[in-house]
Amino acid sequence: MDQLLVALDVDTAADARALADRLRGVAGGFKIGSRLFTREGPGIVEELAGRGDRVFLDLKFHDIPNTVAGAVAAATRLGVWMLNVHASGGSAMMRAARDAAHQEAARASRPAPLLIAVTMLTSLNQQALSDIGVIDGMAAQVGRLAALTEASGLDGVVASPHEIDIIRRRCGRQFVIVTPGIRGATDVKGDQSRTMTAAEALASGATYLVVGRPIIAAHDPRAAAERIASDCRSALTS
Ligand code: C5P
C-alpha cells in the first residue's frame, strides 16, 4: 500500500532491517527518524534506499539556511525519497533546502526527493502552543505555515489529520500531506494528542500516512500493517 509509511522507531540497524524485511510489500516506504539515525548513522538509510525501499528521512532540519542546505544535499546523496525541515525555520531556509535538493539530485542524475515541512508537531495541543507564545489557534497556525511552505516551493507538509481540511483549502490538490498521529479506535494514544484512524485520515485527503507504534509495537507487525492497509483500501474505494 503506497500510502502507508512505517516509522522504524527502533534503536538498531538490525531491528530496522528485520522490520523492513517483514513489512516490505505491505508498507509503501519506511521512515527513519532521529532515534535510529543518531544511533546508527546514514548506513541504514543507504542500505534500505539501495535495495529499492522508499526512505523518508525524518530529521526535521531546523537551522540557518546554509546549514540546512548542506544537510539536505547530504541526505539527497544518500538516495532518500522524502525528507523534511521545520516550516517555522522560515521561507529563506525552506527555499535554500529546496534548491539544495534539486541541485544535488541533478548532480547525481536522480529525481529530487520530495521535500516537505513540519507545520506543528502532532504531540502539541492548544495549551502547548500558547506555552511557546503562539497566540493563534492551532488551525490558523498550521494553515499559515502550510501556505508559507507552498510559497517557498516545497512539495508538501507533515500535519495532524485534523488539519488536512484547512491545508487542502489553502494549498490545493497536488500539495502532499503526510499525516502521523494515526491510531485505531482501541490503540493507546501515547504522546500523540490529535489522532485519527488511517481510513479517516485518507478519506479526509491525506496523501501519505506515517504509522509507528500501532505497527512496530504490535505482536505481529505484518498482520497489523495488513489490517491498516486493508482499512485504507476500503476508505479509498468507498
Ligand atoms: O508511533 P507513532 O505512530 O506515534 O509514530 C509517529 C511517527 O511520526 C514518529 O516517528 C514521530 O516522530 C513522527 N512524527 C509525528 N509528528 C510530526 C512529525 C513526525 O508524530 N509532526
Side-chain angles (χ1 to χ4, degrees), residues 5-9 31-35 56 58 60 84 86 117-124 158-160 178-183 188-192 194-195 210-217:
L5 309 178
V6 177
L8 299 178
D9 289 333
K31 185 177 84 66
I32 293 181
S34 49
R35 175 173 169 184
F56 168 18
D58 177 26
K60 304 184 181 71
N84 59 4
H86 268 283
V118 177
T119 52
M120 300 305 298
L121 294 171
T122 47
S123 55
L124 297 178
V158 185
S160 145
V178 179
T179 60
I182 301 298
R183 290 292 181 272
V188 176
K189 281 194 175 188
D191 53 358
Q192 298 285 16
R194 290 174 289 141
T195 64
V210 171
V211 185
R213 289 162 288 184
I215 292 176
I216 68 168

Side-chain angles (χ1 to χ4, degrees), residues 72-236:
V72 167
T76 303
R77 276 197 295 280
L78 296 178
V80 305
W81 162 74
M82 179 188 279
L83 77 162
N84 59 4
V85 299
H86 268 283
S88 50
S91 187
M93 183 266 255
M94 288 195 275
R95 281 186 275 108
R98 179 207 54 197
D99 291 349
H102 283 262
Q103 282 159 14
E104 199 57 42
R107 216 168 283 143
S109 304
R110 55 161 59 120
L114 289 170
L115 181 61
I116 61 174
V118 177
T119 52
M120 300 305 298
L121 294 171
T122 47
S123 55
L124 297 178
N125 57 20
Q126 196 62 54
Q127 178 60 48
L129 212 60
S130 79
D131 289 347
I132 57 168
V134 178
I135 49 171
D136 272 339
M138 182 65 76
Q141 179 66 3
V142 168
R144 172 186 297 122
L145 290 174
L148 184 69
T149 301
E150 188 179 43
S152 305
L154 270 60
D155 299 295
V157 289
V158 185
S160 145
H162 293 280
E163 275 98 42
I164 294 170
D165 195 42
I166 183 155
I167 295 167
R168 281 273 168 251
R169 270 190 273 128
R170 291 195 65 162
C171 300
R173 304 273 355 139
Q174 297 310 312
F175 201 57
V176 170
I177 303 179
V178 179
T179 60
I182 301 298
R183 290 292 181 272
T186 57
D187 285 341
V188 176
K189 281 194 175 188
D191 53 358
Q192 298 285 16
S193 64
R194 290 174 289 141
T195 64
M196 241 187 221
T197 69
E200 285 166 347
L202 278 185
S204 308
T207 319
Y208 296 105
L209 312 175
V210 171
V211 185
R213 289 162 288 184
I215 292 176
I216 68 168
H219 173 65
D220 182 344
R222 188 165 181 104
E226 304 262 20
R227 251 190 324 273
I228 292 174
S230 142
D231 286 352
C232 290
R233 275 189 290 274
S234 338
L236 289 172

Side-chain angles (χ1 to χ4, degrees), residues 8 13-27 30 44 47-48 51 53 221-222:
L8 299 178
D15 286 348
R17 195 176 297 122
L19 269 172
D21 287 346
R22 283 185 88 169
L23 296 170
R24 199 165 281 120
V26 190
F30 300 109
I44 184 67
E47 179 183 327
L48 295 184
R51 357 180 359 151
D53 291 331
R222 188 165 181 104

